[in-house]
Amino acid sequence: MTTHATIASLLAALREEAQKSGHWRGKIQHHAAGDVLLHEHDRNDTLHVILSGAVELRKFSTDGDGVTVDLLEPGSLLGLISVSTGEPVMTTARAVKDVELLIIGRDELDSLGESDPAMKSVIDPLIIRNLAERYRRLVGSNLEIHRLAQALKSEKTQLAETISDLNTTRMALISREKMATLGQLVAGVAHELNNPAASMQHSLEALASSLRTTLQQVDPAWANIFDAGLSRQKIDSTRQRERMENLVSEHPEIPRPVIRKLSHMPVEDCDQLLESAANDLPALESALEIFESGNAVRGIRVAADRIVRLVKSLKSHSRDGRDEWETADVAEGIRDTLIVLAKPLRGISVETHLEGLPHIRCRPGALNQVWTNLVVNAAQAMNGNGTLRITAQSNDGTLSVRIEDSGPGIAPEHMLNLFTTNFTTKSGPASFGLGLGLSIAQEIVSQHNGTISAGQANADLGGAAFEVTLPVMGSWN
């Protein structure tokens, strides 16, 4: 099917959906040739879908001269960037032929998935096609700008100012189009999460300090138990079951729910608590409540830190890839990821083998996004029931992390396209995916001079396996 035919079929489907609803029929507007639809620098709260006719986009300079920068035809979206980001309109839009438009408000667009899934299923492909077309035009513009720059190089003395202005415009176009293409649907999310996440961090630290001070005044031992919960490391399911069985055999008088809570504690802290309170069940339960309070504070702290790091990662796309590099513990990042993803992993047995790993020079927030994407994909593949195994080792100047699951595995026909942008095997309203997770993971790993590959898990699991290999340059144990 050609692009023109595809656009035609999407517009036909859009008209059909609009005719089914009096609400959407009322959103169709007609404008005559010459009518101005959007003014440059104005605020815009609506997305305009061009059903028929043509609209030109003009950019005006400070002296009032206007330049036509684009011509939009049926299937194009007018106001996509301004309605998504809240930024002023960049160009003036004027009808050059009689036009027919479908008008969608910002609030309607945000809630379309819930209010009208059928309409969303038509609008989403139009948005993706418009973004893809803008990206193709950006590439063509950059190639043309590069050609002109080479031609003008020989006249550098006479045209130095022109070349400088051209380069400035080129960089502005690259930066703006990069945000529009990669961050169109999440640009507002980073801004909205930044302040609440920072506030959560500050409030949480104040709460943890206040709780510990109070406990210290009541009983120093309780403060130590709170600290144990605050620093608790995740124990994999197999080790936890072994500890439970050992505790049951050693303390048959303690109820099993209490034993289960004890099995989450570090061995040394658990032994000390049992030594002092094994025969006093109320005191034992109170101490465990304090431990779980500390562990809950740690979970919230990890989640808040992750939100802040993810916001930084999102913002880094609009800063030409600049991000903070530091020496970090990959094992700790993986453990934190598992804590944050406790809900998606509910019902799944998690095995980790992360001992003895060196610290490496990396962008921790970006790598955590890699682990998140791979673990979430594995959890979804297993549908809440199975085994997730994460194994890491360091050898010959590299650190390798292997993530395996007991899901259905990867179909051979999907292997070649697995890391391709927009490739996804998910379908339907409940499992819709944009196909960006693995391509983003590959980009992040590549920025770390590493590699990521996919294959089949070991025979005892039988599912999919992803292996990330990173250099250990400038690291220490």
Side-chain angles (χ1 to χ4, degrees), residues 42-236:
D42 283 355
R43 296 289 177 176
N44 173 46
D45 294 322
T46 56
L47 176 68
H48 304 65
V49 183
I50 300 177
L51 302 177
S52 64
V55 176
E56 72 169 358
L57 302 181
R58 292 178 65 81
K59 185 73 175 176
F60 289 90
S61 61
T62 55
D63 57 10
D65 290 338
V67 178
T68 299
V69 295
D70 207 350
L71 181 66
L72 305 183
E73 297 182 332
S76 297
L77 302 180
L78 180 62
L80 177 59
I81 293 178
S82 57
V83 77
S84 299
T85 65
E87 295 180 356
V89 177
M90 290 190 296
T91 56
T92 294
R94 183 179 65 86
V96 294
K97 297 180 182 178
D98 293 348
V99 293
E100 183 183 20
L101 305 171
L102 177 64
I103 307 301
I104 305 175
R106 178 184 287 119
D107 293 339
E108 291 178 316
L109 189 62
D110 291 341
S111 62
L112 206 56
E114 298 179 0
S115 62
D116 196 337
M119 181 64 76
K120 179 178 174 60
S121 67
V122 181
I123 293 297
D124 280 348
L126 281 175
I127 292 176
I128 292 173
R129 286 183 175 276
N130 272 260
L131 292 175
E133 179 60 29
R134 293 181 187 202
Y135 182 75
R136 282 193 290 268
R137 288 202 301 268
L138 171 65
V139 173
S141 297
N142 287 335
L143 290 174
E144 179 62 14
I145 290 172
H146 178 73
R147 185 189 66 81
L148 292 174
Q150 292 299 316
L152 292 172
K153 202 171 184 178
S154 61
E155 304 174 11
K156 183 177 179 179
T157 303
Q158 297 82 4
L159 301 176
E161 184 177 352
T162 302
I163 291 175
S164 177
D165 291 343
L166 185 62
N167 285 334
T168 300
T169 302
R170 174 174 173 269
M171 294 308 299
L173 282 172
I174 292 173
S175 179
R176 188 176 294 273
E177 287 296 326
K178 181 178 179 181
M179 283 298 296
T181 303
L182 300 179
Q184 191 66 51
L185 302 179
V186 295
V189 176
H191 175 73
E192 293 297 331
L193 288 179
N194 192 42
N195 291 337
S199 177
M200 184 190 303
Q201 282 184 313
H202 294 314
S203 299
L204 185 63
E205 294 308 317
L207 175 62
S209 177
S210 178
L211 284 174
R212 194 187 188 288
T213 299
T214 301
L215 291 171
Q216 180 72 29
Q217 292 172 350
V218 175
D219 187 342
W222 283 12
N224 292 335
I225 293 173
F226 180 78
D227 287 342
L230 203 59
S231 60
R232 173 218 170 197
Q233 297 295 326
K234 183 175 177 65
I235 304 174
D236 65 58

Side-chain angles (χ1 to χ4, degrees), residues 335-350:
R335 293 190 183 102
D336 287 345
T337 298
L338 295 175
I339 292 174
V340 173
L341 297 178
K343 184 175 181 180
L345 292 172
R346 187 174 299 163
I348 295 174
S349 176
V350 179

Side-chain angles (χ1 to χ4, degrees), residues 175 178-179 182-184 186-198 306-324 363 365-366 369 444 447:
S175 179
K178 181 178 179 181
M179 283 298 296
L182 300 179
Q184 191 66 51
V186 295
V189 176
H191 175 73
E192 293 297 331
L193 288 179
N194 192 42
N195 291 337
R306 174 61 59 80
I307 292 172
V308 171
R309 287 197 294 264
L310 288 177
V311 169
K312 284 185 177 180
S313 296
L314 290 173
K315 289 183 176 181
S316 71
H317 286 293
S318 64
R319 297 198 303 268
D320 302 327
R322 293 193 296 272
D323 199 4
E324 296 180 1
R363 291 165 49 212
Q369 186 174 350
I444 292 172
Q447 289 170 357

